[in-house]
């Protein structure tokens, strides 16, 4: 059973940056596609970006393109979401999800919850002055 743990959230001023981390307690993330998602208060969970086991990136949210970037560090067994030029609308709970067996370990076209097998508990990001 893969257990994902997000970290790196916090309070940041508009225009600031944060780097979120998604790590696994024990099992390797290597065979999984890893996605980052955001859920703003009162809104549905939104897919942001995904990276495949081979490092192929698929971006989903137009609002994040050019500001957020996903990367994976195999040696540290961690996937990161670098977020720059943060805006108040970026406020929300950020989750990472893993997609692997029995699902294909690829970044899906649709970021519905059922397209990822495992989820973390989330980390809160608040962008406010």
């Amino acid at each position: 059973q893969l257990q994902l743990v997000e970290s790196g959230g916090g309070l940041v001023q508009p225009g600031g940056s944060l780097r979120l981390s998604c790590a696994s307690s024990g099992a390797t993330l290597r065979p999984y596609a890893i996605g980052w998602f955001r859920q703003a208060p009162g809104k549905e969970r939104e897919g942001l970006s995904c990276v495949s086991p081979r490092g192929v990136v698929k971006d989903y949210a137009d609002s994040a393109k050019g500001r957020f970037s996903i990367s994976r560090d195999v040696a540290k067994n961690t996937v990161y979401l670098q977020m720059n030029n943060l805006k108040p609308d970026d406020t929300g709970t950020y989750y990472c999800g893993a997609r692997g067996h029995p699902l294909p370990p690829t970044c899906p076209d649709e970021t519905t919850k059922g397209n990822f097998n495992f989820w973390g508990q989330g980390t809160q990001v608040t962008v406010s002055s």
Side-chain angles (χ1 to χ4, degrees):
Q1 185 79 2
L2 188 66
Q3 293 184 323
L4 302 176
V5 179
E6 302 95 337
S7 61
L11 174 64
V12 63
Q13 291 187 342
S17 298
L18 283 174
R19 188 178 75 163
L20 306 183
S21 300
C22 174
S24 165
S25 56
T28 176
L29 295 178
R30 190 189 294 259
Y32 297 90
I34 304 296
W36 277 102
F37 302 78
R38 170 176 68 200
Q39 188 161 17
K43 295 186 178 181
E44 292 186 356
R45 191 171 297 192
E46 172 188 30
L48 298 172
S49 190
C50 175
V51 60
S52 76
R54 294 186 177 184
V56 178
V57 172
K58 178 171 284 190
D59 293 320
Y60 299 109
D62 288 340
S63 63
K65 289 178 182 178
R67 299 188 299 125
F68 294 5
S69 64
I70 192 171
S71 62
R72 67 192 304 159
D73 187 325
V74 175
K76 294 185 178 180
N77 201 31
T78 301
V79 174
Y80 301 101
L81 184 69
Q82 177 67 43
M83 306 189 295
N84 299 325
N85 190 23
L86 283 161
K87 305 175 181 180
D89 284 349
D90 294 319
T91 294
T93 304
Y94 284 68
Y95 300 89
C96 63
R99 174 180 165 96
H101 181 76
L103 297 175
T106 55
C107 292
D109 291 334
E110 300 294 330
T111 57
T112 53
K113 197 172 182 179
N115 272 340
F116 288 78
N117 315 62
F118 304 98
W119 292 92
Q121 294 300 307
T123 184
Q124 178 66 33
V125 171
T126 302
V127 184
S128 175
S129 55

